[in-house]
Amino acid sequence: MVNPMMKAIKAAAYISNDVLALLTLAGVIIAVRQRAPSAAMLTFAVTLLWVTAAYGVLQSDARYSIPFRTAEIALACLAVGTAGVYLRRRARGNTMSHP
């Protein structure tokens, strides 16, 4: 890679992958710990955990996990959304109830 723009894109993708992984893990924890999680959300989170564990051990190249990127982004969005709700409630002084 000699193009500076492509180097910058590669670096951003490399860094954002770790952030996405952490947010996805947070989303899985939130989905599993809800009081009454929907069957779809629970299945979604557990399946993503299983696939991530299997691909982490067995995959030879990261590009094979691309089909699961959408699920990772969805759970990361759940984490960000829940954090936003928590921060709004905290600003109002109401942290006792869960989303």
Side-chain angles (χ1 to χ4, degrees):
M1 254 196 227
V2 293
N3 185 332
M5 187 62 142
M6 292 304 288
K7 285 183 180 181
I9 291 171
K10 181 180 177 183
Y14 183 77
I15 291 168
S16 66
N17 190 51
D18 293 338
V19 173
L20 179 62
L22 289 173
L23 287 172
T24 300
L25 179 61
V28 167
I29 292 169
I30 290 167
V32 171
R33 292 196 60 188
Q34 289 179 344
R35 283 191 188 142
S38 68
M41 183 59 81
L42 196 55
T43 302
F44 190 63
V46 171
T47 301
L48 186 67
L49 275 178
W50 168 249
V51 167
T52 301
Y55 271 68
V57 172
L58 302 175
Q59 80 180 6
S60 60
D61 194 352
R63 66 181 170 198
Y64 297 122
S65 64
I66 289 173
F68 308 110
R69 200 56 86 182
T70 306
E72 291 175 347
I73 292 170
L75 286 167
C77 288
L78 174 66
V80 170
T82 303
V85 169
Y86 173 78
L87 290 174
R88 260 184 274 135
R89 287 184 179 166
R90 184 173 175 183
R92 290 183 194 148
N94 180 11
T95 59
M96 298 307 286
S97 59
H98 297 291

